[in-house]
Amino acid sequence: PKFVTYMGIGDGKYRIDIRTNNNLKDKIVDITNRLDKDNDVDKYSLYQTVSLPVICDKGENIKILVEMGEHTNFPVTYSIGEAPKKKGEIALSYLLAQELEVTCGDSLALQVNETPKKYLITGIYSDITNGGKTAKMYEKDIASDMDVMWSIAYATLKEGVDGKVWLGKYEEEGVKAVDINSYVEGTYGQTVSKIKMVSILIKVIT
């Protein structure tokens, strides 16, 4: 089960994707309010993805995908450092850190709402989602004035709750609710199968 955390996916049991084109922020608030009041939920965290420009010393600025939320609740696995825990901190995927030529302890300048801000890099993690080039930033308030591209929520349920029945309560137009195993199989099934084949070959050879 922990394998998914090496893919850039949090270790929650269930995942809700909110990718509607109609009133995205209203839908995010709606889902959050429902999760807050849901007695079947043991724990959940909401994450919102935005696109922010990196202010580069050389050449043109580039935009990166930044997932904002409380990343210690459902963390990915970090090869170096740890998840951002407060404002002003950020973690980068391995490929993005390589491209930007930065590592833990370095600072990264971003253009946030037309204002340059510096962030301390606290961790480097593996990721195969969104081309493998992503970032994670601490942000607790969902009422952000940034343009949100999409949002996801990870959740665990209380003991005895039927997961399939619970997922059905959140499945609607623009919202997809699945268990993590189904999400990984449906999205990265071929990649995971190839990794399994390689691991088997290595065991046979050695």
Side-chain angles (χ1 to χ4, degrees):
K2 289 290 183 181
F3 177 72
V4 297
T5 65
Y6 291 89
M7 302 167 68
I9 300 170
D11 67 348
K13 179 68 175 176
Y14 300 95
R15 173 179 171 129
I16 299 175
D17 281 76
I18 310 168
R19 295 177 182 257
T20 179
N21 292 325
N22 300 317
N23 300 317
L24 175 60
K25 288 191 177 182
D26 290 342
K27 180 57 66 176
I28 291 171
V29 172
D30 173 55
I31 294 294
T32 303
N33 289 337
R34 288 162 60 185
L35 288 168
D36 277 335
K37 299 173 183 176
D38 195 328
N39 293 325
D40 292 334
V41 174
D42 177 46
K43 182 175 71 171
Y44 85 91
S45 279
L46 181 82
Y47 304 95
Q48 298 180 99
T49 296
V50 299
S51 177
L52 296 177
V54 177
I55 303 172
C56 301
D57 293 332
K58 304 175 183 178
E60 297 182 359
N61 295 351
I62 64 170
K63 286 190 174 183
I64 63 173
L65 295 176
V66 181
E67 187 179 68
M68 309 181 78
E70 295 185 80
H71 295 285
T72 56
N73 286 347
F74 296 98
V76 298
T77 296
Y78 287 80
S79 54
I80 307 174
E82 60 183 8
K85 296 179 179 178
K86 59 184 180 181
K87 289 183 180 293
E89 294 183 345
I90 194 170
L92 305 180
S93 68
Y94 174 78
L95 289 180
L96 182 58
Q98 290 288 102
E99 180 178 330
L100 297 176
E101 299 180 347
V102 292
T103 188
C104 281
D106 292 342
S107 62
L108 187 68
L110 300 176
Q111 192 85 13
V112 181
N113 293 330
E114 301 184 356
T115 302
K117 293 185 179 180
K118 282 193 175 183
Y119 292 84
L120 175 67
I121 300 172
T122 62
I124 306 294
Y125 58 93
S126 298
D127 195 354
I128 66 171
T129 67
N130 300 302
K133 296 180 181 180
T134 60
K136 299 183 185 296
M137 185 187 296
Y138 176 87
E139 178 59 62
K140 192 172 183 179
D141 185 10
I142 70 165
S144 173
D145 54 359
M146 299 180 190
D147 291 329
V148 178
M149 301 174 69
W150 66 80
S151 180
I152 64 171
Y154 291 118
T156 55
L157 304 180
K158 293 178 181 177
E159 188 174 351
V161 176
D162 188 319
K164 290 184 179 180
V165 173
W166 182 83
L167 289 169
K169 296 192 300 182
Y170 291 89
E171 188 73 37
E172 57 188 74
E173 184 179 355
V175 180
K176 186 170 182 62
V178 296
D179 67 80
I180 288 294
N181 290 337
S182 298
Y183 172 79
V184 172
E185 183 63 31
T187 310
Y188 304 107
Q190 291 186 344
T191 301
V192 174
S193 295
K194 289 179 181 178
I195 291 172
K196 287 181 179 178
M197 289 178 61
V198 170
S199 65
I200 292 171
L201 283 172
I202 290 173
K203 287 182 179 180
V204 171
I205 292 171
T206 56

